[in-house]
Amino acid sequence: GDSVTQMEGPVTLSEEAFLTINCTYTATGYPSLFWYVQYPGEGLQLLLKATKADDKGSNKGFEATYRKETTSFHLEKGSVQVSDSAVYFCALSHQAGTALIFGKGTTLSVSS
Amino acid sequence: GAGVSQSPSNKVTEKGKDVELRCDPISGHTALYWYRQSLGQGLEFLIYFQGNSAPDKSGLPSDRFSAERTGGSVSTLTIQRTQQEDSAVYLCASSLGTSGEQFFGPGTRLTVL
C-alpha cells in the first residue's frame, strides 16, 4: 500500500541555519504531495503542496520539489527562525477528495 | 469563524463508556475526514464523507467506531465501549470536493482512564 517515510527527529538547529527534512513516498501513479505543519498547541496547517512531477511548492520561505524519479519531496528552508519550531508532516493523496496518508512527523526545534 | 471547529476540545472518560465527538466543517465544504493522532501510530485516517455518504470507512479500527454526517454539514464520531488504546487526539478536516486541500480543526483530545 501507499506510504510516506520521513526522517526521524528531533531536528535541532540554530537560528539562520539551513534546514532539510527528507520525505520519500511509495505510491502507484501520480499522487499529490503535501507538507503540513503543526505549531505547539495548534492544529495542522497546510504549508505547501505540489500536484505533479517537477512542481515546486513554496510558502513562508519553505520549498519542496516533487521528484518522481527519486519519489521524494524534501522540505528545505535557507534560514530558519525560532518561530519555525514545530512538527512537520509530509503527506500524499491520490486525488482530490481522498484521504491523506501521512508520514510520522519530524519535530524541528530552533534556538536563538 | 470560518474554520473547522471541533467539540469538545478535551474529553476524559472511563473505560467502557461511550463518547461522541463533533465536527463542524467549513461552510460549503462537501468532503469531511476524520483522523486520529496518537504517539505510537502518528496520524491515521479513519473515515471520509462526501456529502452525507461515507465512500471510505477503511480506517475505522473496529466496529466500536462509527460516524455519521447529516445535512452535508456536521459530523459525529462515536466510540462505543471505549478502551485505553482509544486515547488520542481526534482530528477533523474538510475540503471542497475537488480542491484536494484539507483544512483541519484543532482536534479533540480523548483520554480513556
Side-chain angles (χ1 to χ4, degrees), chain A residues 34 36 38 42-46 49 89 93 95-104, chain B residues 33 35 37 40-43 45 48 56 91 95 97-102 104-106:
Chain A
F34 306 83
Y36 278 81
Q38 189 172 34
E42 298 185 17
L44 278 167
Q45 302 173 29
L46 178 65
K49 67 177 182 181
F89 293 90
S93 73
Q95 62 188 59
T98 61
L100 289 164
I101 297 169
F102 286 92
K104 291 197 178 294
Chain B
Y33 312 78
Y35 295 87
Q37 186 175 22
Q41 301 299 322
L43 271 157
F45 165 73
Y48 152 61
D56 190 353
L91 295 171
S95 71
T98 57
S99 75
E101 178 175 347
Q102 296 181 24
F104 283 80

Side-chain angles (χ1 to χ4, degrees), chain B residues 27-82:
Chain B
S27 178
H29 279 193
T30 57
L32 186 148
Y33 312 78
W34 285 98
Y35 295 87
R36 180 168 70 174
Q37 186 175 22
S38 57
L39 278 176
Q41 301 299 322
L43 271 157
E44 304 171 279
F45 165 73
L46 298 178
I47 187 170
Y48 152 61
F49 288 91
Q50 180 62 43
N52 290 335
S53 63
D56 190 353
K57 305 179 184 179
S58 62
L60 294 178
S62 76
D63 59 8
R64 296 186 296 104
F65 287 72
S66 63
E68 65 175 13
R69 188 179 185 196
T70 55
S73 181
V74 172
S75 177
T76 302
L77 177 69
T78 301
I79 309 173
Q80 295 179 308
R81 306 181 302 282
T82 52

Side-chain angles (χ1 to χ4, degrees), chain A residues 8 14 20 41 93 111:
Chain A
E8 299 217 0
S14 297
T20 299
S93 73
S111 58

Side-chain angles (χ1 to χ4, degrees), chain A residues 10-112:
Chain A
V11 174
T12 304
L13 296 173
S14 297
E15 208 165 22
E16 298 183 5
F18 184 86
L19 168 71
T20 299
I21 300 178
N22 290 336
C23 171
T24 57
Y25 67 91
T26 300
T28 55
Y30 298 89
S32 294
L33 302 174
F34 306 83
W35 277 100
Y36 278 81
V37 59
Q38 189 172 34
Y39 296 104
E42 298 185 17
L44 278 167
Q45 302 173 29
L46 178 65
L47 181 59
L48 53 85
K49 67 177 182 181
T51 58
K52 60 183 187 295
D54 299 326
D55 265 2
K56 178 185 284 188
S58 61
N59 185 25
K60 299 181 181 180
F62 291 89
E63 293 183 340
T65 301
Y66 189 142
R67 301 288 188 199
K68 180 68 176 171
E69 63 276 12
T70 54
T71 61
S72 65
F73 193 55
H74 305 322
L75 183 68
E76 296 182 334
K77 186 175 186 182
S79 176
V80 294
Q81 305 300 311
V82 172
S83 57
D84 294 326
S85 298
V87 183
Y88 292 81
F89 293 90
C90 186
L92 70 82
S93 73
H94 265 292
Q95 62 188 59
T98 61
L100 289 164
I101 297 169
F102 286 92
K104 291 197 178 294
T106 303
T107 299
L108 170 65
S109 178
V110 180
S111 58
S112 58

